[in-house]
């Protein structure tokens, strides 16, 4: 019976087999009791003997979402597995789901998965046929349905050619297919082509604390770091590219823009595209490319101030100062004019200036755009359009703080790029949950950490039988009405 395939064993024998294995695998050890301060005259004692209880009961909602969107399945199809099929117990899709769901649930380190592999509900989420793990080939693995930290680490140590360069690097990732998947997911989320979309570009810093490949010092951030490039359209993440810090913030962004626009135009040939970013992206090559496109691609970039620009608004700054002295409130005056740099720009371009005076003094700001005056008046263009790009920074914070995109700590740059992809796909999954399941609730604009805390972190007891998996959620869960809404 022990040598026979699991599928050929009867249900009665399976139950007996599982009980025997469970007892043989679980060494008898004295459970520790934790005595807390007394409640009046009553003792308060804690012990880890509650049985199969999970703190992540809400993940079943993610499973339903994945069954509909298939985004993780499509992501797994961007990988090529060169492992010997005879020895594979964890498929690439299962490994990827385990890693990304772990990130979503707040388990940022691979070492966390040595405990998570015992959670049968996570095994259900990943798609394991036997959530108990009793069908594992090796005796020491039985009872642990999921992969441990070492197996997941070999997934992250990706290779471009596993046949040649690595005994342990046998899973390859196709970056171009992953990039395409992110854009296609955005496109398919729309039932019809929009008339206009705004692509927000920005960079951030991922601190480096070791001797990772591509390590450079960045003066602005005051340390060794990477400079990942992000491109969002609203809440949709379209690009996450890890880059070295020894280059301009806009380096390589035009190539990413061209690829994105080309992919978007395949589905939406007439859509108007507007690029929006801070002054780091106000580069002649990007603006020239936009101006040369036959189908509209506009730009709206911040423009770094200099003495010539400030001189252009001398009167407006004096007027703003006079208004502030009268009202003791921030005064702003906007001016529209054309401007060309001495040598870095090839043509004159429209510039909008904000002559502002605050309690701390003069605060001039400038933007450069290809949008016409007839379409956008200066004040509205700056306040109602350009300033909205600040919301993208919140999305980047979600990536870095809530989904650990800054944990680019492996030795190789390409492995760190894969970690950035994992974080990005985790964001896409949670954004889908927010966009679809939480629509018309008070969590419709909640950040990822709030969604995790209020919707996914639900205490539940899990009972497994041959025909059913019972998940008993805690009766004191305070957001049952929202859970019901998402479930529906």
């Amino acid at each position: 019976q022990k040598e026979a395939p699991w599928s050929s064993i009867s249900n009665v024998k399976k139950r007996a087999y599982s009980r025997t294995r469970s007892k043989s695998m679980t060494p008898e050890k004295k459970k520790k009791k934790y005595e807390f301060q007394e409640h009046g005259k009553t003792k308060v004692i804690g012990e880890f003997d509650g049985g199969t209880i999970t703190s992540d009961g809400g993940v079943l909602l993610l499973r339903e979402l994945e069954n509909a969107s298939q985004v993780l399945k499509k992501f797994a199809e961007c990988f090529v597995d060169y492992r010997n099929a005879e020895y594979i117990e964890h498929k690439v899709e299962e490994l990827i789901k385990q890693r990304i769901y772990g990130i979503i649930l707040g388990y940022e380190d691979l070492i966390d998965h040595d405990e998570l592999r015992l959670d049968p509900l996570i095994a259900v989420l990943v798609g394991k046929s036997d959530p108990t793990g009793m069908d594992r080939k090796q005796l020491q693995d039985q009872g642990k349905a999921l992969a441990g930290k070492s197996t997941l680490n070999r997934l992250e140590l990706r290779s471009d050619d596993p046949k040649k360069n690595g005994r342990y690097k046998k899973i390859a990732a196709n970056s171009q297919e992953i990039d395409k998947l992110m854009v296609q997911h955005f496109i398919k989320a729309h039932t019809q082509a929009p008339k206009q979309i705004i692509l927000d570009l920005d960079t951030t810093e991922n601190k480096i604390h070791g001797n990772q490949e591509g390590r450079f010092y960045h003066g602005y951030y005051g340390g060794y770091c990477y400079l990942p490039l992000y491109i969002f359209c609203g809440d949709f993440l379209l690009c996450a590219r890890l880059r070295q810090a020894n280059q301009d913030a806009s380096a390589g962004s035009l190539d990413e823009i061209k690829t994105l626009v080309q992919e978007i135009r395949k589905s939406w040939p007439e859509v108007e595209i507007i690029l929006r970013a801070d002054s780091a992206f106000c580069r002649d090559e990007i603006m020239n490319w936009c101006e040369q496109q036959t189908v509209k691609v506009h730009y709206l970039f911040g423009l770094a101030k200099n003495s010539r620009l400030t001189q252009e608004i001398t009167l407006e700054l004096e007027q703003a100062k006079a208004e502030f002295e009268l009202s003791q409130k921030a005064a702003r005056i906007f001016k529209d004019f054309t401007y060309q740099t001495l040598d870095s720009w090839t043509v004159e371009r429209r510039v909008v200036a904000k002559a502002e005076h605050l309690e701390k003094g003069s605060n001039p700001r400038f933007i450069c755009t290809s949008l016409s005056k007839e379409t956008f008046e200066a004040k509205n263009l700056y306040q109602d359009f350009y300033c909205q790009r600040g919301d993208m920074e919140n999305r980047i914070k979600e990536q870095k703080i809530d989904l650990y995109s800054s944990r680019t700590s492996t030795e190789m740059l390409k492995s760190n790029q894969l970690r950035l992809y994992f974080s990005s796909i985790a964001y896409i999954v949670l954004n889908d949950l927010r966009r679809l399941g939480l629509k018309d609730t008070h969590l419709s604009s909640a950040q990822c950490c709030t969604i995790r805390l209020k919707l996914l972190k639900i205490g539940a007891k899990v009972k497994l039988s041959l025909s059913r998996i019972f998940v008993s959620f805690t009766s004191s869960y305070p957001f049952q009405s929202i859970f019901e809404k998402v479930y529906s």
Side-chain angles (χ1 to χ4, degrees), residues 163-216:
K163 291 183 177 180
K164 295 181 180 179
N165 65 352
R167 179 180 178 184
Y168 298 108
K169 304 172 187 176
K170 295 184 179 295
I171 299 176
N174 187 327
S175 296
Q176 292 181 340
E177 290 299 316
I178 296 173
D179 296 338
K180 184 178 178 181
L181 168 65
M182 294 167 71
V183 182
Q184 285 299 317
H185 185 77
F186 158 68
I187 292 172
K188 291 178 180 178
H190 295 76
T191 55
Q192 59 184 12
K195 293 182 179 179
Q196 180 191 89
I197 60 172
I198 302 170
L199 302 183
D200 286 309
L201 297 86
D202 206 352
T203 61
T204 187
E205 50 90 28
N206 281 10
K207 286 190 183 344
I208 291 177
H209 302 286
N211 292 314
Q212 287 101 307
E213 181 184 7
R215 178 179 186 265
F216 284 98

Side-chain angles (χ1 to χ4, degrees), residues 61-87:
L61 295 175
L62 294 178
R63 182 170 178 265
E64 298 303 307
L65 182 65
E66 167 61 17
N67 287 338
S69 70
Q70 300 285 292
V71 63
L72 296 184
K73 179 179 176 61
K74 294 172 185 175
F75 180 53
E77 291 172 355
C78 299
F79 291 75
V80 181
D81 191 354
Y82 292 92
R83 295 175 297 171
N84 189 329
E86 184 179 348
Y87 301 107

